[in-house]
Amino acid sequence: MRSLLLCLALALLGGCAHADKGPGSLPYKYWRLGFLAPDYMEVWVETADVEDIRGQKFFKMGGGVVAVRNPPDNRGNAAGWGERFGWGAGRYVNGADLPKRIYVRWQSLAEPQTYSTIVEIPERARQLMSERLEKPCHTSEYREALAIGLAPGGVIRGWVMSTCGGPTEVFRAQAAVEPKGPSQGKTNGQYALPLKPESRAYIEQHGIPYGSW
């Protein structure tokens, strides 16, 4: 009873620990951040750091290889992103509110080149992530995933999506070349991984389709 009275008193003064977060907050426990690349255009993410709308910072929310298809015998198509794709390789950002900005640094292994940028997440993305779907499916009621596409030339695209709907694009951006090179210059210019044979064969035959992303 004493704790209940204390909570009620705190609520009158400005809220207690168990009160709802309020407008603009997540209507679900956490959202997912994932990364992907066009066919054969392999990418290694060095870091992805998140800042939410409350000013909280979450470091190393992405790293390593991204989701990319490497069909043998050049059966894939590196140009464009296609109409449908998955959430990308990533993780849930536990404890974060809706995203405000994301810092990403990655190695474009297909070129090779290293890029970095700070993406300001638009308000439209947060609105879509917090709105309940008009036709929820049995696995999802919200667009709880933010997928980021990384392409050669420093092209970066972002989509929000649920488990049962297609992607909705929310931003496009252009990253800058990272002057220190891969791994902030700590590897003497050595990139994280060599290209897979399928990717190398495709690029040797078709080149890199700059301008298609």
Side-chain angles (χ1 to χ4, degrees):
M1 178 62 72
R2 182 177 298 175
S3 62
L4 176 59
L5 293 174
L6 177 60
C7 189
L8 290 174
L10 290 173
L12 292 174
L13 292 174
C16 67
H18 297 92
D20 291 337
K21 291 183 178 180
S25 297
L26 280 181
Y28 38 89
K29 290 183 177 180
Y30 36 70
W31 54 275
R32 188 181 187 278
L33 177 64
F35 293 92
L36 56 104
D39 288 2
Y40 305 107
M41 303 291 109
E42 297 178 44
V43 164
W44 176 274
V45 173
E46 293 186 352
T47 189
D49 306 327
V50 174
E51 180 182 354
D52 71 7
I53 58 174
R54 297 177 181 274
Q56 302 177 104
K57 295 180 174 61
F58 302 82
F59 300 100
K60 297 293 183 180
M61 290 295 105
V65 295
V66 308
V68 60
R69 299 188 327 124
N70 304 85
D73 303 322
N74 294 340
R75 293 199 299 267
N77 182 9
W81 298 94
E83 295 182 0
R84 297 183 67 88
F85 42 81
W87 287 11
R91 59 186 295 185
Y92 287 94
V93 188
N94 294 324
D97 208 312
L98 294 165
K100 181 179 181 180
R101 58 176 61 95
I102 298 175
Y103 169 74
V104 189
R105 189 175 68 247
W106 76 94
Q107 300 176 16
S108 174
L109 303 176
E111 298 176 271
Q113 187 61 271
T114 305
Y115 300 96
S116 63
T117 190
I118 297 176
V119 178
E120 298 288 340
I121 306 300
E123 181 61 28
R124 177 171 176 262
R126 289 187 286 272
Q127 291 175 349
L128 289 170
M129 292 176 73
S130 59
E131 291 174 358
R132 192 171 186 271
L133 296 172
E134 292 183 1
K135 295 181 180 180
C137 59
H138 67 283
T139 56
S140 180
E141 295 184 355
Y142 295 93
R143 301 176 186 90
E144 68 269 38
L146 175 60
I148 295 181
L150 305 172
V155 174
I156 181 168
R157 300 270 292 272
W159 303 268
V160 294
M161 63 185 74
S162 67
T163 57
C164 56
T168 300
E169 184 172 321
V170 290
F171 68 79
R172 299 187 184 195
Q174 176 64 51
V177 172
E178 173 56 53
K180 293 183 180 180
S183 304
Q184 296 286 274
K186 298 177 182 179
T187 58
N188 296 319
Q190 183 70 35
Y191 284 80
L193 293 173
L195 278 177
K196 293 181 180 178
E198 296 85 355
S199 296
R200 185 172 299 280
Y202 182 93
I203 293 171
E204 288 177 351
Q205 181 169 346
H206 299 284
I208 297 176
Y210 293 105
S212 68
W213 303 298

